[in-house]
Amino acid sequence: MQIDIKNLDIRTAHADLMAKKYRVRDLVDAYLKNIEEKNEELNVYLSIFSDTFEHKVESAQAKIDDGTATLLTGIPYAVKSIISIKGKNTSSASKILENYTSPYTATVISKLDEHEAIALGYVNMDELACGASGENSAFGNTKNPLDTTRVPGGSSSGSAAAVAADMALFSLGTDTGGSIRQPAAFCGLVGVKPTYGRVSRRGSAAMGTSFDQISPITRTLEDSKIVLEAISGQDDFDMNTIDTTNLFSPESVDLKKRLAIPRSFVNQVKDQKVLDNFNQALEKLRQGGYEVVDIDFDDLSLALPVYYILMSAELSTNVSRLDGMRYGKKVEGENVIEDYFKTRGEGLGEEIKRRIILGTYVLSAGYEDQYYNKAGILREQLRTEFRNKMEGFDAMLFPTTPTPACKIGDNESPIDMYLGDIFTVSSSVISNPAISVPSGEVEVEEGRTMPLGLQILAKSGDEKTMYAVARDFLNVKNT
Amino acid sequence: MSKNITRKDVEDIAQLARIELQEDEAAAIADSFGPIMEMIEKVNSVEVGEEVQRDFTLKNIVREDEVRDNSSEDRKEIVANFPDKKDNYLKTKKVL
């Protein structure tokens, strides 16, 4: 049975299932067929959960049949391989975890299980979430389905590629410094990072503890809201989670229709096409009734060094648990200490090693005050400054990325990749919500265009305004 | 404070982080550090005042420790991941 999965969204799939146009099995099979056809070339999925399908498909179909189905019942999705599922190899695309079987399931997955959504499998990523291109996996590069000579972005590379290639109806990724928003922008999709604490981190291998959020990558804005709402909520297993009542009710949003643009910060972009695309988006919003105001917020440039200091300090601390002692790959040395050195030396990839060195350095004696403590203070100041500057505005806007997706291999040095985070790290540091929505395409070479994203930042806790502004933009975008 | 991180610096830090780096790995990491440190150093160009305005919406959350019953099923899964074991115990080389 032919299902048009290219144009599918969650509400349509749900309506089709309830109207018995097709069954859950048919929907899952449609995605599995695409995976079979495309995965070898794109290297999106690391594993498919075929052993659990029969049971899951039956349970979902039962809910459809007895009328207890929710919007997400029977909906096939992809899971970034950093999010734990009991009995599966939650490898975080790292050799050091290639033989690890998770003994428990992440809260977000349990929540989706209650809906009987169908996890299709684990998708590729930059190893231990370290990267922004999909080129840092221990299991090979993932390619951008829109142009297979280009990167899909990262670290949620497989999550974005899966949705862009119709290998899942939605996916779960994680965003620490932009790892959902950037690949979503590179693949023409919607990617959101909620207010820190909206979504429980329990079960997601920690990268930057005070930054990490699990969140969806989707084709549509509505799908983004549906999944985010389903996975949000307070959790005793993550004491940083916050109340999420009234997370979304766009009807109750009182929009001022005023947007702030930190103009000189945005104008750092060297690619004129990206600036033009951004300015065109602002013009559309003006036509849609918004007042667009240039403001000064040059301090936002500090977010990048603050992020790299704090994130690498937290990351290096977190991955010190990867030592081969209790789980994962173990390389034997002469004694227990040598076991640690050899296991970590062989099991960890280049990029994660680099970040561990950076994190260890900024925390080391003699440097902790200068880097780590200073960055912590600057983070507080940025949060306060952002709150003050947002007075009287609904949202702040910038491009999601300074460039469209580059060719595989183009990032000659790590700093090139880090500088690409300039626009996404602000909300990671400030912990406010930010969403990237497709803002059109730009020519990257003769006869070839690639998508860009518009990033909408709202105040902490104000996801509803963020979604309302995003909705307004998407409504006027093509007019 | 040195902006120039040498291969030796990287090797010393790798010792702290318990990672065995090959010579060429340490050299490659040291090479990449120049521009990274230049970016990081920007935090030193900013003065911070004595009084730091803290974000009072954030506060530490603590609770009392609770003893929960863990099923032997859960323990089995955890033990199954041990690279070396004896009965239900993790086995390692001598530490002392």
Side-chain angles (χ1 to χ4, degrees):
Chain A
M1 113 131 274
Q2 275 284 78
I3 304 175
D4 179 19
I5 56 177
K6 250 201 134 20
N7 294 307
L8 210 50
D9 59 53
I10 292 170
R11 280 194 193 276
T12 306
H14 174 73
D16 288 349
L17 287 166
M18 295 304 286
K20 314 278 190 235
K21 262 181 89 177
Y22 42 78
R23 297 172 67 74
V24 174
R25 181 80 246 183
D26 300 320
L27 186 59
V28 167
D29 283 347
Y31 285 102
L32 290 178
K33 183 160 171 286
N34 251 4
I35 293 171
E36 204 183 337
E37 283 168 10
K38 301 181 185 179
N39 204 51
E40 196 175 315
E41 191 197 4
L42 299 178
N43 198 28
V44 171
Y45 277 85
L46 297 177
S47 61
I48 305 287
F49 300 153
S50 353
D51 51 328
T52 36
F53 278 159
E54 281 322 307
H55 169 69
K56 292 240 169 249
V57 163
E58 257 173 51
S59 308
Q61 190 61 52
K63 277 178 99 72
I64 306 260
D65 293 339
D66 71 17
T68 59
T70 65
L71 283 176
L72 288 166
T73 304
I75 303 295
Y77 69 102
V79 186
K80 187 175 185 180
S81 57
I82 198 170
I83 301 170
S84 304
I85 301 178
K86 183 167 171 161
K88 308 288 188 206
N89 170 225
T90 312
S91 67
S92 296
S94 178
K95 283 214 170 348
I96 209 168
L97 291 170
E98 65 185 356
N99 61 343
Y100 166 69
T101 302
S102 183
Y104 72 112
T105 294
T107 298
V108 295
I109 303 290
S110 300
K111 281 178 178 287
L112 290 173
D113 279 348
E114 275 169 41
H115 291 263
E116 299 292 353
I118 315 272
L120 291 175
Y122 272 142
V123 289
N124 207 359
M125 53 183 281
D126 284 312
E127 182 180 2
L128 292 157
C130 292
S133 66
E135 296 170 294
N136 300 291
S137 166
F139 305 118
N141 290 354
T142 296
K143 296 181 183 154
N144 191 321
L146 305 177
D147 176 347
T148 55
T149 65
R150 290 178 189 269
V151 301
S155 64
S156 307
S157 42
S159 307
V163 178
D166 300 309
M167 294 159 97
L169 183 40
F170 72 90
S171 66
L172 290 183
T174 60
D175 193 307
T176 304
S179 290
I180 279 177
R181 290 165 284 155
Q182 183 248 38
F186 281 178
C187 293
L189 302 168
V190 175
V192 63
K193 184 199 79 69
T195 306
Y196 177 79
R198 282 293 183 205
V199 180
S200 170
R201 291 166 300 114
R202 195 235 179 179
S204 182
M207 185 209 180
T209 315
S210 72
F211 300 94
D212 294 339
Q213 280 291 277
I214 303 173
S215 210
I217 295 181
T218 57
R219 271 207 192 283
T220 71
L221 193 68
E222 181 68 11
D223 283 1
S224 175
K225 270 195 293 186
I226 291 168
V227 180
L228 185 56
E229 193 156 25
I231 61 174
S232 296
Q234 281 186 296
D235 183 12
D236 279 351
F237 284 107
D238 177 358
M239 297 300 274
N240 287 324
T241 48
I242 57 180
D243 184 20
T244 56
T245 42
N246 293 322
L247 185 56
F248 309 113
S249 357
E251 325 71 53
S252 69
V253 178
D254 197 8
L255 287 175
K256 301 173 187 64
K257 300 285 243 173
R258 294 184 84 231
L259 304 170
I261 313 297
R263 186 46 77 175
S264 55
F265 173 65
V266 171
N267 283 353
Q268 286 177 90
V269 168
K270 296 191 180 78
D271 189 336
Q272 190 58 44
K273 296 200 185 89
V274 174
L275 268 181
D276 290 344
N277 174 273
F278 178 67
N279 289 326
Q280 280 157 26
L282 298 181
E283 188 46 42
K284 292 283 182 196
L285 281 159
R286 276 189 200 98
Q287 288 166 20
Y290 276 86
E291 189 189 348
V292 177
V293 179
D294 282 354
I295 63 162
D296 159 41
F297 196 178
D298 286 346
D299 277 350
L300 279 176
S301 292
L302 288 171
L304 193 69
V306 164
Y307 170 74
Y308 271 95
I309 292 169
L310 296 176
M311 176 278 293
S312 64
E314 292 177 5
L315 169 74
S316 60
T317 308
N318 282 324
V319 303
S320 62
R321 72 191 184 288
L322 299 175
D323 56 18
M325 283 294 114
R326 290 146 294 146
Y327 51 83
K329 180 188 179 80
K330 181 177 190 170
V331 180
E332 302 280 355
E334 292 288 313
N335 52 54
V336 85
I337 302 294
E338 230 183 75
D339 286 356
Y340 294 149
F341 276 94
K342 288 193 176 301
T343 297
R344 289 158 68 76
E346 278 186 45
L348 297 172
E350 190 187 328
E351 184 55 34
I352 172 95
K353 276 181 186 152
R354 189 189 343 273
R355 295 192 191 197
I356 292 171
I357 300 293
L358 179 60
T360 308
Y361 178 66
V362 303
L363 284 172
S364 62
Y367 294 114
E368 188 183 334
D369 263 340
Q370 189 184 325
Y371 296 116
Y372 180 75
N373 289 335
K374 183 89 180 271
I377 294 170
L378 288 173
R379 185 177 198 181
E380 297 279 356
Q381 290 191 345
L382 281 169
R383 283 191 174 127
T384 305
E385 214 182 329
F386 176 76
R387 210 171 36 245
N388 294 339
K389 293 210 184 261
M390 282 289 280
E391 277 302 312
F393 292 105
D394 294 316
M396 191 175 293
L397 268 53
F398 7 107
T400 305
T401 57
T403 63
C406 64
K407 293 251 187 208
I408 293 171
D410 260 8
N411 278 324
E412 281 177 9
S413 65
I415 190 67
D416 294 335
M417 198 170 59
Y418 299 174
L419 291 173
D421 289 342
I422 183 105
F423 293 128
T424 47
V425 292
S426 313
S427 296
S428 307
V429 166
I430 295 169
S431 309
N432 66 300
I435 192 166
S436 177
V437 292
S439 62
E441 309 216 335
V442 288
E443 196 181 49
V444 289
E445 52 186 322
E446 177 101 20
R448 164 77 72 189
T449 61
M450 287 299 283
L452 287 173
L454 175 70
Q455 202 184 178
I456 299 163
L457 285 71
K459 298 181 187 107
S460 267
D462 201 8
E463 274 85 339
K464 19 186 226 254
T465 300
M466 179 186 72
Y467 274 103
V469 173
R471 175 205 58 205
D472 285 351
F473 170 66
L474 291 173
N475 284 342
V476 295
K477 189 176 109 174
N478 295 317
T479 54
Chain B
M1 170 261 296
S2 163
K3 236 183 293 184
N4 252 338
I5 309 288
T6 64
R7 181 173 61 78
K8 173 94 181 35
D9 291 329
V10 171
E11 281 166 355
D12 289 344
I13 299 167
Q15 281 288 308
L16 293 174
R18 300 287 191 254
I19 300 179
E20 181 179 78
L21 288 179
Q22 307 306 318
E23 232 179 82
D24 56 333
E25 275 184 301
I29 291 177
D31 278 343
S32 67
F33 255 60
I36 295 173
M37 286 314 294
E38 210 180 295
M39 184 261 286
I40 299 286
E41 293 292 338
K42 292 205 167 78
V43 300
N44 292 323
S45 65
V46 184
E47 291 295 321
V48 289
E50 287 283 321
E51 273 297 304
V52 177
Q53 256 207 310
R54 299 234 152 233
D55 182 348
F56 286 107
T57 59
L58 298 177
K59 54 186 190 299
N60 271 336
I61 303 171
V62 292
R63 62 167 170 77
E64 289 300 312
D65 281 348
E66 286 167 22
V67 175
R68 300 183 191 207
D69 279 327
N70 283 315
S71 71
S72 59
E73 264 302 306
D74 289 339
R75 184 176 291 125
K76 248 196 337 208
E77 321 268 3
I78 293 170
V79 171
N81 274 307
F82 291 168
D84 202 0
K85 51 185 166 279
K86 184 174 167 161
D87 301 324
N88 259 353
Y89 290 90
L90 172 66
K91 192 169 155 202
T92 73
K93 294 188 177 74
K94 251 192 321 195
V95 178
L96 296 169

